[in-house]
Amino acid sequence: MTEIVREEMEYDVVIVGAGPSGLSAAIRLKQLDPDLSVVILEKGSEVGAHILSGAVLDPSGLDALLPDWRTMGAPIKTAVTEDNFYILGPAGQMRIPNWPMPPLMNNHGNYIVSMANVCRWMAGVAEGLGVEIFPGMSCSELVYGPSGEVRGVVAGEFGKQADGTPGPSYEPGMVLAGKYVFLSEGVRGSLAKEVIAKYDLSKGHSPQKFGLGMKEIWQIDPAKHHEGRVTHTMGWPLGSNAGGGSFIYHLENNQVYVGFVVHLNYENPHLYPYMEFQRFKHHPMVADLLKGGKRVAYGARAISEGGYQSIPKMVAPGVALLGCTAGLVNVPRIKGNHNAMLSGKAAAEAAHAAIKAGRRGDELTTYETDVRQGAIGADLKKVRNVKPLWSRFGLIASLFGGGADMWANTFGMTLFGTLKHDKTDAQATGKASKFKPIDYPRPDGVLSFDRLTNIAFSATNHDADQPAHLRLKDPSIPILVNLPEYDEPAQRYCPAGVYEVVREEGRDPRFQINFQNCVHCKTCDIKDPSQNITWTTPQGGGGPNYPNM
């Protein structure tokens, strides 16, 4: 095969991903030195197309980055006016009063936003400062320098056929090289996964933990709409099957975000996270809110939940991990965008100082120090034991023990030190023979919907003729191992119906991958018990096109 020859473009800093961390880094670099050359490569068809979040924004990160954002036309208008917490049972609910909760759980001063729209606005700010942003440019591989440092990425490779060979319209893409490369790919990024493994960045840290977050936007009856209301729930329908909970946020224009998170360390492989979400909407409290309304959008993505003890080393030669790529989500608050912005700002300041000193391709150790010892570390340290307590002892222990520890941390103390996570979410999966299958009610098409119907509301699209971006290390494992031992959980943990076990009369079962449905949540890369599925960046980006998720 003829060796691929690629053109190369040189920048001071190359940023992969136009999320809040990548955009913040680009903006801060240009604030510090307008002459720095900065490029952002975004795999979505436009900035914001792949952004899905809980959508209550702590503005502290934006305050630090752009103190005048309130007068700059930011799409951040709906202040939180009401905070509600409930534990649900099958037919009722119990409200948890706000007064015993640690101060950090208070949403006063926060905003209900579309992070997709916030990122679109931030992209405009960045471009106004001279940042180059290229959407639809997925990064397919890293480029290493002579000393083993990360020196760039390959972006814009198009035209491969389904078998992976170059087609008649093949474009090899180009190398975008930089003095430093920032990876802000979001959770479980494919390039970050390679960097973490190559440089052993997880050594000495707990394994990362994850949740699967699913969200719908509903247009509801104006009489039931309360702009600024925030509601979180725990308990039913998950019960003892899995950890997790819900959020319901009333934004403007009579719309609500209805979201559901399932912790991916669940044991029962028969669990069907998407159907737990659909069942949740039939709870009387939720059903009453949604009755007479209509769902207008759907999306899903993985959430990093490991917390402070699971943050890997964030720097290696020439490269830094930003935001959710490093796992900077505050799990009890269901918030990570503020820390993502702060991490981007910190990485930019470290890179600027290094470039000014004539360095390139080394480790930005001051960035690592800033994150762990600054505002981000302080935010995550206070809540570091909530997730381990929930994983080991369940919801009630987490509520009381985690709540008490958060109060203690408010005063600079801790009840438990720093608890560790002892296994990955894949390793937590139990054998199917030890658990009873779960009988889920059929979606009614009014409040609840089947996966394929909902996927149409994510505007997901991939070229059917391109190579599948979901790779099996061993194609035999789904049927020979996962099916008999785990009832092949990929059929259920995927919120987009990508994976099927097809049974045809007179034939052995076969494993089918409908990669065109993929919403890029990356749950398969995380939860597969055999760790046989690798999520890679699709050729040309593809995936969802979220309007205002």
Side-chain angles (χ1 to χ4, degrees), residues 118-200:
V118 170
C119 287
R120 292 182 181 105
W121 171 77
M122 291 179 70
V125 174
E127 287 178 320
L129 293 171
V131 175
E132 295 182 42
I133 302 178
F134 298 136
M137 290 283 279
S138 56
C139 298
S140 54
E141 59 184 278
L142 292 164
V143 177
Y144 295 96
S147 300
E149 78 279 11
V150 174
R151 60 174 291 267
V153 296
V154 174
E157 187 176 27
F158 296 96
K160 283 187 175 180
Q161 302 177 108
D163 63 0
T165 60
S169 59
Y170 176 70
E171 294 288 342
M174 61 191 310
V175 173
L176 292 100
K179 296 180 175 71
Y180 296 97
V181 175
F182 291 169
L183 299 181
S184 53
E185 303 171 282
V187 174
R188 197 72 165 196
S190 55
L191 300 184
K193 185 178 174 184
E194 178 180 330
V195 165
I196 290 169
K198 178 179 176 65
Y199 299 104
D200 200 14

Side-chain angles (χ1 to χ4, degrees), residues 384-406:
R384 64 191 182 278
N385 291 319
V386 174
K387 172 67 174 177
L389 286 168
W390 198 333
S391 298
R392 296 182 194 184
F393 305 112
L395 171 61
I396 301 304
S398 177
L399 278 176
F400 287 96
D405 195 52
M406 283 191 288

